[in-house]
Amino acid sequence: MLSLVVQTLLLSFGIVLSYEINTYNPDYGVYIGDLSSPETDIAGQVFIVNATTLQIFNLTFTPTQQDLYFWLDDKESPTKDGIKAHTYEYGITPLGPFSEENDRVVVHVPEKHRIDEFKSFSIYSFKSDKNFGSLVLPENVKIPKSVALNSEFTGKRYKLRSGPLYVIDRRTIKVYGFTFEGNKAPKTYFYVGRGASVSYSSGVKVAIRGKDEKEISEISENYRGGKDIILELPENYDIFHIDWISVYCYKYRVNFGSVLVPTDDTLANLPPYVPSFKKNSDEKPMTRGVLKGSAERRNFTFQLGDIEHIKNYNGNLRSPKYVWHVNSVMSPDLYLVRNVTYNFNVEGGREKIIPDFYNPLYIGDDDEGGYLELSQNEVEKVTVYSPEPVESQTGPLCIWIQNKDKAANEPDAYLDCDGWPEDVHSFAFTPNETTPSVLYYNSGNNFNMGGRIFIVDELPEDIADSAEVPYNREKWHTLALSRQRADRVNGGKATLAAAFMIILTIALA
């Protein structure tokens, strides 16, 4: 069999390797077929990693329309009754291009589902009910499985104990209920290696996930047994190439306790190792503001805001062009008191012809929004707590626009609106004893625009309110005012008034 390095190089150069359907490959998983379509250039080799994860190699994919998704269906061809599968890059939002730097695309099955519930995997548009590339899952599909070992850590020093070890995949091991006085033990590490017994010369240090991101540090915490830890083997090691796992004193070369790796076929069909996505420090989502529903604040006004000036607004998820600004604060966390009625004023646009400017506001238990863009299967899993139908909660359009070339006496942003104050649409929201403690406000038409709503019995005193920006809600701007601002505000963009006048002119032509 080709080595992993050679196979990876071939895949990176787009050289297709031949695999037999429904066979296990320890490096990639169980091969279930190639994505293909006679009408598109979409292609890719698809492997099952475990019961809830797929990975695609050699993916050829150039999005040709706005609503393409990875799709799972219990029919051999995709239908509107199927469900979306999501990726790290896009979540459940429509697919875009994937970086050529990644040798694979990892696809996750939604919660409470398993791959073997479905018969097909595809790239699909449920709006147009069109299949852009699919494969049929083999009958009696084989699924790689993680394995629990019978062995546990135990030792006479520093209260070393653990529950069973669980081999998640070839390079990832979970240790249940780890107990160890690491704060007292001298220079101790998790250590793995080859040979009949634990030795300093044949081992290597092992990282703890979430703790050793940059370099492997010694076990310095006092573990009391209530915490599970996950070990990640070094890049050139896997479970098939080690004989033991040890809690090892590096300073005095003492094995405090170890577990032997099975040599039989116990680990024969483990899931392959899939590299995790490492976030850079600048990929962290922005810090959100806070607005508390106090006695002085019973009204919340929802308008749009351009986020081109915000880097990594949503971290790893695709950011929208606009997000909700609430009482002038960008997508804040809201704290609302049970059995108190609040008014939500909606100014996110009602023009369906321009998707960015059509934003029905709704409150639900789904954090990513886009209710009107969800499949029927997904809609059934969402509970809406604001008045329905969702599409009726729209109002005129107001947008906070960054004043990039502002003069010294001008604000950082100004509000541009296309309607009169009396046009604003409002609805009431009264959380009660049965309302979940965390909800989300979002756009019904666009994803990832909103924020969290915390439902509380009393407003927290240790969390400060964000400052609201005073503003006067302007009427529809004239074309003359738009032209005055076009050269010096927002990178030369025309204001909304000009944009709408151009669109109206085209529509009437």
Side-chain angles (χ1 to χ4, degrees):
M1 185 174 66
L2 290 173
S3 70
L4 175 58
V5 174
V6 173
Q7 292 185 60
T8 302
L9 285 172
L10 290 174
L11 286 168
S12 67
F13 283 106
I15 299 174
V16 179
L17 301 176
S18 178
Y19 297 99
E20 186 177 342
I21 297 290
N22 206 24
T23 56
Y24 171 77
N25 180 295
D27 297 321
Y28 302 114
V30 172
Y31 176 64
I32 56 173
D34 287 8
L35 281 174
S36 62
S37 169
E39 300 179 12
T40 71
D41 63 352
I42 290 174
Q45 294 179 303
V46 185
F47 295 81
I48 294 178
V49 174
N50 55 41
T52 60
T53 309
L54 299 166
Q55 59 181 339
I56 309 170
F57 290 92
N58 289 335
L59 179 63
T60 301
F61 174 66
T62 303
T64 56
Q65 60 185 72
Q66 295 298 313
D67 68 322
L68 297 181
Y69 302 92
F70 287 124
W71 199 260
L72 290 161
D73 206 295
D74 59 7
K75 309 291 192 305
E76 292 191 352
S77 294
T79 69
K80 292 187 176 183
D81 294 328
I83 62 173
K84 296 173 190 170
H86 60 274
T87 66
Y88 171 89
E89 295 86 352
Y90 296 106
I92 64 168
T93 66
L95 297 176
F98 291 92
S99 172
E100 294 182 358
E101 297 177 359
N102 294 333
D103 64 349
R104 74 194 79 201
V105 172
V106 179
V107 183
H108 300 283
V109 179
E111 291 183 6
K112 301 180 181 180
H113 290 281
R114 289 172 49 98
I115 287 171
D116 51 4
E117 297 173 23
F118 305 99
K119 291 185 178 179
S120 65
F121 173 68
S122 61
I123 293 177
Y124 174 72
S125 164
F126 73 83
K127 280 189 174 181
S128 61
D129 190 21
K130 184 177 180 180
N131 176 11
F132 283 77
S134 66
L135 61 83
V136 176
L137 275 67
E139 293 186 9
N140 302 316
V141 63
K142 297 177 182 178
I143 297 179
K145 294 182 179 180
S146 303
V147 175
L149 303 182
N150 294 324
S151 304
E152 302 174 354
F153 282 119
T154 181
K156 297 180 180 180
R157 300 186 185 185
Y158 305 108
K159 298 182 180 179
L160 175 60
R161 295 287 187 278
S162 79
L165 274 65
Y166 188 69
V167 184
I168 296 174
D169 60 45
R170 293 183 60 172
R171 283 179 52 193
T172 312
I173 303 163
K174 188 171 186 177
V175 182
Y176 285 98
F178 185 62
T179 301
F180 185 65
E181 293 178 333
N183 57 328
K184 298 179 181 179
K187 285 195 175 296
T188 302
Y189 300 86
F190 283 103
Y191 210 58
V192 301
R194 303 295 302 263
S197 61
V198 177
S199 69
Y200 173 87
S201 60
S202 61
V204 64
K205 298 174 184 176
V206 177
I208 299 175
R209 179 180 291 176
K211 174 176 175 284
D212 302 327
E213 297 298 332
K214 293 184 179 180
E215 61 182 24
I216 299 174
S217 58
E218 54 188 286
I219 305 172
S220 57
E221 182 179 340
N222 184 11
Y223 291 91
R224 302 177 184 273
K227 186 176 183 180
D228 303 331
I229 59 177
I230 294 178
L231 308 179
E232 294 187 344
L233 300 183
E235 186 173 348
N236 296 323
Y237 286 74
D238 65 28
I239 196 70
F240 300 124
H241 298 91
I242 61 174
D243 296 315
W244 43 263
I245 307 167
S246 169
V247 177
Y248 190 78
C249 175
Y250 206 70
K251 183 175 183 179
Y252 297 109
R253 303 187 181 185
V254 176
N255 173 25
F256 290 144
S258 58
V259 169
L260 296 178
V261 176
T263 57
D264 57 14
D265 61 355
T266 301
L267 305 174
N269 295 299
L270 275 179
Y273 174 75
V274 177
S276 59
F277 288 90
K278 302 294 185 182
K279 292 185 179 181
N280 297 322
S281 58
D282 62 354
E283 286 184 320
K284 295 177 181 178
M286 56 163 276
T287 301
R288 305 298 179 98
V290 171
L291 292 176
K292 294 188 286 190
S294 61
E296 296 76 29
R297 186 187 283 130
R298 293 287 188 263
N299 290 289
F300 293 93
T301 298
F302 290 74
Q303 298 159 331
L304 303 186
D306 187 337
I307 61 167
E308 288 183 354
H309 61 296
I310 299 293
K311 187 175 183 180
N312 293 314
Y313 168 85
N314 266 337
N316 62 297
L317 294 177
R318 170 190 281 173
S319 295
K321 186 174 182 179
Y322 301 100
V323 297
W324 286 118
H325 280 47
V326 187
N327 291 10
S328 77
V329 180
M330 180 181 292
S331 54
D333 290 335
L334 305 182
Y335 285 82
L336 306 182
V337 180
R338 297 182 192 276
N339 299 312
V340 173
T341 298
Y342 298 92
N343 292 315
F344 282 20
N345 307 312
V346 187
E347 298 182 319
R350 54 167 69 100
E351 300 297 330
K352 293 185 179 181
I353 192 174
I354 310 173
D356 287 336
F357 298 156
Y358 173 55
N359 292 290
L361 175 69
Y362 77 101
I363 301 169
D365 57 5
D366 56 322
D367 60 345
E368 293 183 300
Y371 184 84
L372 302 178
E373 295 296 305
L374 301 180
S375 67
Q376 184 59 39
N377 183 291
E378 292 169 320
V379 165
E380 292 172 356
K381 297 176 182 178
V382 176
T383 301
V384 175
Y385 290 84
S386 51
E388 296 193 67
V390 169
E391 53 265 34
S392 68
Q393 307 303 331
T394 61
L397 180 64
C398 281
I399 298 185
W400 286 91
I401 298 177
Q402 292 300 305
N403 197 353
K404 292 184 177 179
D405 300 317
K406 68 185 184 73
N409 61 343
E410 290 183 334
D412 292 333
Y414 65 88
L415 187 68
D416 205 357
C417 296
D418 71 345
W420 299 84
E422 55 267 26
D423 292 336
V424 175
H425 174 76
S426 300
F427 65 81
F429 175 60
T430 308
N432 57 33
E433 286 77 7
T434 64
T435 305
S437 58
V438 181
L439 294 173
Y440 303 88
Y441 61 88
N442 263 307
S443 164
N445 190 57
N446 293 292
F447 293 99
N448 299 324
M449 282 184 55
R452 299 176 294 185
I453 302 177
F454 295 98
I455 308 300
V456 297
D457 295 319
E458 295 182 359
L459 295 176
E461 297 182 358
D462 58 340
I463 299 177
D465 261 323
S466 297
E468 298 182 22
V469 177
Y471 64 89
N472 293 318
R473 190 183 183 286
E474 303 175 34
K475 299 178 183 178
W476 175 260
H477 284 169
T478 64
L479 184 58
L481 183 56
S482 297
R483 286 173 175 166
Q484 289 174 15
R485 284 180 171 165
D487 291 336
R488 66 183 184 86
V489 174
N490 207 26
K493 293 181 180 178
T495 59
L496 297 177
F500 274 107
M501 292 183 71
I502 292 170
I503 292 169
L504 182 60
T505 302
I506 294 172
L508 295 177

